[in-house]
């Protein structure tokens, strides 16, 4: 298998490919997932079938980022009638969850409880979402579309540096779960993570996938697997019930739509904050002289709109099935005009600061982009939250559970793992969806289309913003995914900057304007992008050089 992979990678080493014929494109975070998608397209599947295959393959070969035990958002565009929708397969809080469940007896937040182990896991949405995608939008059966993932689970995938680094980072949580230790730290000798190139085989996960292939969602949410999931979670101190699993429902949501400089932007709806925050930032930028601004001035203005949009995120956003969110207002141009009215073009707006976690994580979670020959498209961002989610595999199922409960604001004003603060709108409630930042997005005008998204926690939305600005400026796919990144999220009151790519002079100038700069010691994000030039019918695709993904046009 290794030789095969090397050949493929060499063949497409530029990672950006264009072609004039009717072709399809897939960009994903793992070569085997991209190949799984093409395998399904070649069998006559459409982009939605391919999305099922890619999602399931990633669940097997990229357990650091997503999986059957997690959730996600699949943004769809159907070519035949232009219909667009978002499949919301976000996890929901178990019915026994409550606002103060992660506070200790003295009322302090115990951060480990919402990150590590079974109590951190919300009820997964991925199996239900794949079943729904297949039934409503696909052409092939789940038996066909899940076949590549089942094969990968049985045959194994090779340990990469990315896997090693994150297994190391999450070693404690993985070690605390017998099945996780056996599967992911199997070849652990002298307490080392598995060797580069060694195979991770997941026989039980293959069986669970086979159950879903045969029975659809019932193969996961009912019967033997469901029973095992619940038993194992409860034994480890979690609160799942069989009813929670049976009751899980995906939702189809109308995507958030925005316009920016003549482009139509279609993005994730609540319970993702992505579309609303992105729209707010774009709307604000329409009132600012970005195109004539010198580079530092441009960064200053972009930071100021990020600050304002993330402040609103922390104040107003949560699961709209539970709380009233003023979506109309937050995404309106007139409101954006008000927001920018107090931007000082020369200096940073002051806002309070507070200590918050601003570690440079940001490759876990996963995004993929697909377009098929007919023009059907998918932008999907999927997650189990932290690297390897909660670290907990439910005994006998091979299913690694998420720790998406940490995306709630477990205590008003306390930062979560991504430094995000929230208030009542995103407080924990039974059956509620935690607020997300995942931002699968389409951007288009009559000439050009971009399908974009990335992992990166709270920084996802600003990465997508920077990608959109670059696309509109005419940059190509490979340049867009490679660009150096910067980020502001209101709290902490710092501009977070990738140290590779920014010159110190420019950063000094930003500092002189009153911005506190936090130089990150690691890069972040793993963007997977497709661009279509509609008039010439040329596709190009690119995978972020920070990751190990593969993009193909063929
Ligand atoms: O839904 C969210 O916003 C988070 N669970 C995403 C986490 C993530 O992107 C991790 N990657 N760095």
């Amino acid at each position: 298998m290794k030789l095969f992979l090397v050949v493929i990678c060499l063949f497409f080493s530029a990672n950006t490919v264009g072609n004039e014929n009717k072709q399809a494109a897939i960009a994903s975070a793992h070569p085997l997932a991209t190949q799984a998608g093409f395998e399904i397209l070649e069998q006559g599947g459409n982009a939605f079938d391919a999305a099922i295959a890619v999602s399931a393959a990633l669940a097997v070969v990229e357990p650091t980022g997503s999986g059957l035990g997690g959730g996600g958002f699949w943004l769809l565009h159907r070519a035949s009638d232009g219909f667009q929708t978002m499949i919301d397969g976000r996890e929901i809080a178990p019915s026994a969850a409550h606002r103060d469940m992660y506070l200790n007896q003295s009322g302090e937040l115990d951060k480990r409880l919402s990150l590590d182990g079974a109590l951190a896991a919300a009820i997964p949405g991925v199996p239900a979402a794949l079943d729904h995608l297949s039934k409503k939008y696909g052409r092939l059966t789940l038996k066909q579309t899940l076949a590549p993932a089942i094969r990968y689970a049985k045959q194994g995938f090779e340990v990469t540096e990315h896997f090693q680094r994150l297994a190391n980072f999450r070693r404690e949580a993985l070690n605390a779960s017998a099945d996780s230790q056996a599967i992911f730290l199997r070849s652990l000798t002298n307490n080392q993570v598995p060797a580069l190139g060694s195979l991770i085989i997941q026989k039980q996960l293959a069986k669970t996938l086979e159950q879903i292939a045969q029975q659809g969602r019932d193969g996961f949410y009912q019967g033997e697997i469901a029973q095992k999931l619940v038993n194992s979670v409860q034994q480890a101190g979690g609160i799942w019930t069989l009813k929670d699993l049976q009751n899980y429902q995906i939702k189809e949501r109308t995507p958030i739509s925005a316009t920016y400089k003549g482009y139509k932007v279609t993005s994730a709806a609540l319970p993702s904050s992505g579309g609303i925050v992105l729209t707010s930032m774009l709307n604000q930028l329409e009132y600012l002289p970005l195109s004539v601004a010198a580079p530092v001035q441009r960064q200053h203005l972009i930071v100021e709109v990020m600050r304002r949009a993330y402040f609103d995120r922390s104040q107003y956003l949560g699961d709209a099935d539970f709380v009233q969110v003023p979506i109309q207002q937050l995404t309106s141009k007139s409101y954006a005009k008000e927001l920018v009215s107090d931007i000082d073009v020369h200096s940073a707006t002051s806002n309070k600061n507070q200590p918050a976690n601003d570690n440079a994580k940001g490759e876990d979670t996963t995004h993929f982009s697909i377009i098929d020959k007919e023009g059907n498209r998918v932008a999907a961002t999927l997650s189990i939250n932290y690297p390897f989610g909660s670290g907990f595999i439910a005994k006998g199922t091979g299913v690694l559970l998420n720790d998406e409960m940490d995306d709630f604001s477990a205590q008003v004003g306390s930062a979560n793992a991504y430094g995000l603060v929230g208030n009542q709108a995103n407080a924990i409630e039974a059956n509620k969806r935690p607020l997300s930042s995942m931002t699968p997005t389409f951007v288009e005008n009559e000439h050009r289309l971009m399908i974009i998204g990335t992992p990166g926690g709270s920084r996802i939305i600003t990465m997508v913003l920077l990608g959109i600005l670059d696309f509109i400026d005419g940059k190509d796919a490979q340049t867009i995914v490679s660009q150096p990144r910067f980020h502001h999220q209101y709290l902490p009151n710092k501009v977070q900057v990738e140290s590779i790519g920014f010159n110190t002079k420019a950063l000094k100038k930003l500092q002189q304007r009153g911005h506190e700069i936090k130089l990150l010691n690691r890069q972040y994000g793993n963007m997977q992008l497709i661009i279509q030039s509609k008039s010439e019918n040329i596709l190009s695709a690119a995978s972020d050089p920070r990751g190990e993904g593969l993009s193909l046009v063929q």
Side-chain angles (χ1 to χ4, degrees), residues 60-72:
V60 174
V61 303
E62 200 197 22
T64 51
S66 69
L68 296 185

Side-chain angles (χ1 to χ4, degrees), residues 64-65 73 90-91 271-273 313 360-366 381-387 403-404 406-407 416 418 420 434-439 454-460 463 524-525:
T64 51
F73 303 112
R90 182 69 162 168
E91 300 91 331
S272 176
S273 62
R313 183 194 195 278
K361 286 182 280 300
E363 310 146 87
D364 34 304
T365 296
T366 201
T381 314
L382 317 180
S383 184
I384 47 174
N385 196 30
Y386 228 42
D403 55 0
E404 222 75 63
D406 192 69
D407 277 346
N416 75 357
Y418 300 100
L420 290 167
L435 187 64
S436 173
S437 300
M438 294 189 282
T439 314
T454 179
S458 55
R459 301 191 193 110
I460 291 174
M463 281 187 262
Y524 61 89

Side-chain angles (χ1 to χ4, degrees), residues 509-524:
K509 283 190 185 159
L510 266 184
Q511 252 165 349
Q512 282 160 5
R513 288 164 184 249
H515 295 286
E516 186 180 338
I517 307 290
K518 161 96 184 171
L519 264 189
L520 302 173
N521 54 10
R522 284 177 36 79
Q523 293 179 290
Y524 61 89

Side-chain angles (χ1 to χ4, degrees), residues 280 283-284 287 332-342:
S280 168
N283 282 346
Q284 291 179 64
Y287 292 104
S332 76
K333 303 257 185 209
S334 55
Y335 177 66
K337 194 171 178 188
E338 267 174 53
L339 282 181
V340 299
S341 64
D342 66 350

Side-chain angles (χ1 to χ4, degrees), residues 115-118 120-121 170 173 384 386-392 400-403:
L115 284 173
D116 297 347
R170 295 294 277 154
I384 47 174
Y386 228 42
F388 289 97
S390 65
F392 182 83
L400 177 62
L401 304 188
N402 69 84
D403 55 0

Side-chain angles (χ1 to χ4, degrees), residues 100-111 113 410-411:
D100 297 333
M101 65 186 277
Y102 297 118
L103 305 187
N104 64 20
Q105 280 169 347
S106 8
E108 289 151 1
L109 187 60
D110 184 344
K111 289 192 179 180
L113 288 180
Q411 192 179 39

Side-chain angles (χ1 to χ4, degrees), residues 94 96 112 185 222 302 316 325 342 347 361-362 370 408 425 511 516 545:
R112 291 260 63 92
L185 305 177
Q222 312 236 18
I302 294 173
Y316 303 114
V325 179
D342 66 350
S347 66
K361 286 182 280 300
I370 302 183
F408 281 115
Q511 252 165 349
E516 186 180 338

